[in-house]
């Protein structure tokens, strides 16, 4: 497994502002992902954070709204830009590990964002 | 798009009762995972099943993978308040083997 920490753990922000969430892993990992979890719902993949290249975004998510950095194999950031109340969610960082032919993922504790 | 549907969406039962949660898809899974998420935390992996018909036990939890690898179930025996949480099935996508997508989730509440 991997120990994953996220900062901040929670924040309350004003609409129109931006927030950068940090994810730190205790070991080098190849696969790193960002998920969003809206209140009472399941997880939706935002993007795969690629080390040394641009992130790969899922349908419905764009780089201008959710810029991602991955400067090395243990760290990534997700920025939620020009926030609106609809961005209020839990944002989760995840790392993947390949075991035989399947992947397991481990998650950080999440960042609870409230946009007023 | 590969979708994972879970049922029931919500379940509230008395301590000591048994329950089963289901995960279904129209697509064949190469493998399937079950996670549990408690409030304020990220999901935690419970089990991975990879072979059609496979059954795995984790204390009072029994996980079964369907013979056709299109469905899975999680059965909890003698539920306890500590079992309360959001249960999520997950599988990797066909477009990228490195990504995992999650089911719609089952929120379980065990009343003392």
């Amino acid at each position: 497994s991997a120990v994953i920490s996220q900062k901040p753990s929670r924040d309350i922000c004003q609409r129109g502002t931006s927030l950068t969430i940090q994810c730190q892993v205790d070991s080098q990992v190849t696969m790193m992902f960002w998920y969003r979890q809206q209140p009472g719902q399941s997880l939706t993949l935002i993007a795969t954070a690629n080390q040394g290249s641009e992130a790969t975004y899922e349908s419905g998510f764009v780089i201008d709204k959710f810029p991602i950095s991955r400067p090395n194999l243990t760290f990534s950031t997700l920025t939620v830009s020009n926030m609106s109340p609809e961005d209020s969610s839990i944002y989760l960082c995840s790392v993947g590990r390949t075991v035989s032919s399947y992947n397991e993922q481990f998650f950080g504790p999440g960042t609870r964002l409230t946009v007023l | 798009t590969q979708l994972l549907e879970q049922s029931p969406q919500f379940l509230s039962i008395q301590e000591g009762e048994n329950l089963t949660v289901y995960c279904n898809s129209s697509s064949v899974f190469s493998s399937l995972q079950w996670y549990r998420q408690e409030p304020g935390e990220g999901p935690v992996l419970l089990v991975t099943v990879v072979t059609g018909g496979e059954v795995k036990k984790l204390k009072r939890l029994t996980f079964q993978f369907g013979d056709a690898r299109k469905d899975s179930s999680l059965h909890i025996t003698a539920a306890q308040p500590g079992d309360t949480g959001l249960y999520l099935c997950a599988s990797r996508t066909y477009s990228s083997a490195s990504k995992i997508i999650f089911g719609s989730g089952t929120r379980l509440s065990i009343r003392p």
Side-chain angles (χ1 to χ4, degrees), chain A residues 4-6 21-25 32 34 74-77 93:
Chain A
I4 305 167
S5 60
Q6 286 185 233
I21 302 168
Q22 299 180 4
C23 176
Q24 180 74 53
V25 189
M32 212 159 176
W34 286 97
T74 64
F75 186 79
S76 177
T77 67
C93 172

Side-chain angles (χ1 to χ4, degrees), chain A residues 21-66:
Chain A
I21 302 168
Q22 299 180 4
C23 176
Q24 180 74 53
V25 189
D26 69 340
S27 57
Q28 292 187 339
V29 292
T30 304
M31 296 179 284
M32 212 159 176
F33 308 93
W34 286 97
Y35 286 82
R36 181 173 74 183
Q37 185 175 29
Q38 295 184 304
Q41 298 191 19
S42 185
L43 282 70
T44 300
L45 181 62
I46 297 172
T48 302
N50 302 308
Q51 194 268 328
S53 64
E54 197 169 279
T56 305
Y57 289 84
E58 298 299 306
S59 176
F61 298 96
V62 295
I63 188 172
D64 289 345
K65 176 67 176 177
F66 298 101

Side-chain angles (χ1 to χ4, degrees), chain B residues 4-74:
Chain B
L4 298 173
E5 296 290 337
Q6 287 185 237
S7 62
Q9 188 176 0
F10 300 98
L11 186 58
S12 178
I13 62 172
Q14 203 71 34
E15 180 178 1
E17 293 183 354
N18 302 331
L19 67 108
T20 302
V21 175
Y22 299 93
C23 176
N24 295 283
S25 174
S26 57
S27 305
V28 174
F29 305 132
S30 55
S31 64
L32 187 133
Q33 290 146 7
W34 285 93
Y35 292 78
R36 180 172 69 206
Q37 184 180 23
E38 299 185 28
E41 299 181 10
V44 174
L45 178 66
L46 296 174
V47 76
T48 301
V49 286
V50 296
T51 306
E54 181 176 6
V55 176
K56 283 192 174 180
K57 289 183 182 283
L58 185 65
K59 297 184 181 178
R60 294 175 294 100
L61 278 60
T62 301
F63 304 87
Q64 187 160 5
F65 202 13
D67 291 339
R69 307 208 324 273
K70 290 186 175 183
D71 58 273
S72 180
S73 64
L74 158 59

Side-chain angles (χ1 to χ4, degrees), chain B residues 83-98:
Chain B
D83 295 327
T84 294
L86 178 66
Y87 288 81
L88 298 157
C89 64
S91 181
R92 66 182 185 183
T93 70
Y94 291 111
S95 59
S96 171
S98 63

Side-chain angles (χ1 to χ4, degrees), chain A residues 83-104:
Chain A
M83 288 183 284
S84 67
E86 292 72 34
D87 294 321
S88 296
S89 281
I90 299 172
Y91 291 86
L92 294 137
C93 172
S94 174
V95 302
R97 184 185 70 170
T98 300
V99 178
S100 297
S101 61
Y102 57 88
N103 295 306
E104 298 178 342

